[in-house]
Amino acid sequence: MNNTKKVALAYSGGLDTSIIIPWLKENYGCQVVAVCGDIGQGGEELKGLRQKALKSGASEFYVEDMREEFVTQYLWPLVRSGGVYENKYLLGTSIARPLLAKRQAEVALRTGCDALSHGCTGKGNDQVRFELTYMAIAPELSVIAPWREWDIVSREDAIAYAAARNIPISQTTRKIYSRDRNIWHISHEGGALEDPANAAPDEIWMLTRSPREAPDKPGKVTIGFRKGSPVSVNGVELPAVKLLEKLNKIGGVHGIGRIDLVENRFVGMKSRGCYETPGGTLLMAAFRELEALTLDRNTLHYKQKLALDYAELVYNGFWFTPLRIALDGFFTSVSDVATGEVTLKLYKGNLEPVSRTSPNSLYSLDIASFTMGAEYDQKDARGFIKLNGLPIAVRAGLQSRKRGKKKK
C-alpha cells in the first residue's frame, strides 16, 4: 500500500517535470512540493515558473539562487581539476545535478516530505546523479522515478499527456529538442541529433555564433587566476558569477565552445549530444597554459592522470563521495601556485594562447635559451642519457649474445 503523502519534485518547468506534477497527484494522491534552483539558466526559463507549478497542481514552490555556490564550489574546482569527459565534454549538466539534488533533498527534509522525485528518464545518466545524491543527503526518503513507472514511452506521448490536462509547455512534435542550461553551458539532445549520421542543424545553437558569422578580426581576452581560482578578465577583477557571464559573452561572440559528441553513458549505451560552453572553454584552456608554467613535470603529469578519474566521477554522479573530496584536496593543493594571467586569441571558433605570465613560473629563460650559459652544462647530458639508457644497452647486449650462440 502506498503511504506517500508529500513529495519534493526537482522542478524545471520543462516537459517532463511539467507533467509529473499531475501524474504524481493522480497516481500517488500526494501533495507535490516543486523545488527549482537558479544555477544561471536565464531569466526566461525562471519567469512565471511559480505560477506554472502551482497551476499544474503543486501545493508549494521553492526557488533558490544558487549561482554563487555553483560557480565557486562546483565549477571552480572543476577548472582546477582539468577534468574533461572523453576528451570533449566539459561536464556542464553532470556537475550541476549534485547541487540541484542536494538542495531538493534539503527542502524535502525541511518541509516534511517523505519522498523525492525527478524527471530523469530510465535511459539517462541524470537518474543516477540525482539518486546517488539523495542517498548522501536524505537516505531515509523514498524515490519516485515516473519514467521508470508510467506508460509514457516517448516525448510525443508526454506532449499529448500535457495537452490533455491543459499543462502549458514549449515543446512541439516538430521541434522536439531536449535542452539543459545553466551558467556553464547548454546541452542539446533529441530530434535530428539522435542519428549521429545527421549534421547538427544550425537552429540548435543558442549561446554561440556560427564561426562563419563571427568577427573577421581576431579578438583577445586575458584571464587572471589566483591560487587556481579565476579572478579577473582583461585586468578587471570580477565576482565569480559576473566573471563567468562576461567570458560567456566573449566566447559566444567568437563562436568558441561548440562540441558535437557521441558519448558513453554511465548506464551502458552511447548517446549523441551537442554542447555549448563558451566561457568554460576559455577558462579550461587558459588554466592549462598557466599550469604549464607553474607545475613541475611529475606533478603536472600525475595531475593529468587524476583529471581523467575526476571527470568520470563527476560524469557518473559520485560527487558526494570521499574519493571526489580527496581528489579536490589534491587539486587545491597543487593549484596553490596557479597565480598569473593568460591571454588567448579568439578567431572564428578557434583559440590559441599568446601570452602566459606568473610570479610562480618555473620557466627559466637562462636554462631554456639556445644560447650557452652557466646554468646548464650540456656535457652533463651525456651521463644523463647513458644512465637512462643503461637498461636498453643491457637488453641489447643480451640479445646480441643470444644471436651469437644461435649462429654457432
Side-chain angles (χ1 to χ4, degrees):
M1 181 178 178
N2 172 44
N3 294 317
T4 304
K5 295 182 173 60
K6 196 172 185 180
V7 179
L9 169 67
Y11 182 76
S12 68
L15 175 59
D16 294 341
T17 58
S18 292
I19 65 173
I20 285 174
I21 293 177
W23 185 87
L24 286 170
K25 293 170 68 68
E26 291 171 14
N27 290 273
Y28 282 83
C30 59
Q31 296 182 59
V32 179
V33 178
V35 184
C36 176
D38 179 1
I39 51 174
Q41 57 266 56
E44 285 302 313
E45 285 196 30
L46 296 171
K47 187 177 180 181
L49 216 54
R50 176 183 297 275
Q51 293 80 2
K52 183 177 181 180
L54 296 177
K55 185 178 179 181
S56 300
S59 58
E60 300 173 55
F61 175 83
Y62 296 88
V63 61
E64 298 187 37
D65 187 344
M66 299 186 290
R67 291 174 298 169
E68 181 74 18
E69 182 180 1
F70 182 44
V71 175
T72 60
Q73 303 302 312
Y74 289 73
L75 295 180
W76 284 182
L78 178 63
V79 172
R80 284 192 288 271
S81 78
V84 178
Y85 186 71
E86 296 190 340
N87 299 314
K88 286 186 176 181
Y89 179 38
L90 299 187
L91 299 164
T93 294
S94 311
I95 199 162
R97 295 321 195 204
L99 175 58
L100 291 171
K102 176 175 79 78
R103 193 57 49 88
Q104 176 197 0
E106 290 168 347
V107 171
L109 294 173
R110 193 169 70 233
T111 57
C113 292
D114 46 27
L116 295 156
S117 183
H118 58 72
C120 310
T121 73
K123 289 184 176 182
N125 299 305
D126 280 342
Q127 60 182 331
V128 182
R129 297 164 184 155
F130 271 92
E131 293 182 35
L132 290 181
T133 301
Y134 297 160
M135 291 179 184
I137 307 301
E140 67 272 32
L141 301 184
S142 60
V143 177
I144 300 172
W147 272 101
R148 302 202 296 257
E149 295 184 27
W150 60 22
D151 56 4
I152 295 173
V153 298
S154 68
R155 298 186 72 76
E156 288 82 1
D157 287 350
I159 289 170
Y161 186 96
R165 290 158 181 78
N166 296 314
I167 304 297
I169 57 172
S170 60
Q171 291 81 2
T172 67
T173 54
R174 186 187 67 82
K175 192 174 182 180
I176 199 164
Y177 297 112
S178 174
R179 291 186 166 96
D180 178 71
R181 182 173 182 173
N182 58 52
I183 195 172
W184 189 244
H185 92 152
I186 186 170
S187 65
H188 314 273
E189 294 180 324
L193 298 177
E194 289 188 343
D195 186 348
N198 294 332
D202 289 340
E203 67 184 22
I204 68 166
W205 306 107
M206 299 176 67
L207 302 183
T208 56
R209 283 188 187 177
S210 165
R212 295 188 301 272
E213 298 172 358
D216 292 328
K217 182 179 178 181
K220 287 185 179 180
V221 61
T222 300
I223 304 173
F225 296 87
R226 185 179 300 125
K227 293 190 174 183
S229 294
V231 294
S232 67
V233 177
N234 295 330
V236 179
E237 292 207 7
L238 295 169
V241 172
K242 290 188 179 298
L243 183 147
L244 184 51
E245 288 174 340
K246 187 171 184 65
L247 289 177
N248 280 334
K249 290 179 182 178
I250 293 171
V253 165
H254 291 278
I256 303 294
R258 292 184 177 187
I259 68 164
D260 185 334
L261 174 66
V262 174
E263 67 196 71
N264 289 292
R265 287 183 178 176
F266 187 34
V267 294
M269 69 185 72
K270 290 186 182 291
S271 66
R272 191 269 188 101
C274 291
Y275 303 91
E276 298 174 85
T277 319
T281 300
L282 297 177
L283 283 167
M284 296 292 263
F287 195 67
R288 283 195 299 270
E289 297 301 322
L290 182 59
E291 285 188 319
L293 276 186
T294 58
L295 292 183
D296 64 275
R297 180 185 61 190
N298 287 344
T299 302
L300 178 61
H301 290 183
Y302 192 70
K303 180 179 180 292
Q304 289 170 345
K305 296 175 186 177
L306 293 183
L308 295 175
D309 294 333
Y310 191 85
E312 194 163 276
L313 279 175
V314 173
Y315 185 84
N316 293 342
F318 290 90
W319 183 265
F320 293 102
T321 60
L323 179 55
R324 195 278 305 170
I325 294 168
L327 286 175
D328 265 333
F330 172 80
F331 296 132
T332 298
S333 176
V334 299
S335 295
D336 190 62
V337 295
T339 294
E341 290 188 333
V342 175
T343 300
L344 304 171
K345 182 168 73 173
L346 320 176
Y347 183 65
K348 293 188 177 295
N350 298 296
L351 60 83
E352 60 181 271
V354 295
S355 174
R356 317 156 183 84
T357 61
S358 171
N360 301 319
S361 174
L362 299 179
Y363 187 96
S364 171
L365 185 59
D366 289 339
I367 295 176
S369 173
F370 280 100
T371 303
M372 301 302 110
E375 294 295 323
Y376 188 96
D377 187 344
Q378 298 193 54
K379 294 178 182 178
D380 293 339
R382 180 179 180 181
F384 174 79
I385 296 169
K386 189 171 183 178
L387 289 176
N388 276 279
L390 187 59
I392 299 173
V394 171
R395 181 177 178 82
L398 175 62
Q399 291 174 337
S400 178
R401 289 192 295 273
K402 286 181 178 179
R403 287 194 297 269
K405 289 181 180 180
K406 286 183 178 178
K407 288 180 181 179
K408 292 179 180 179

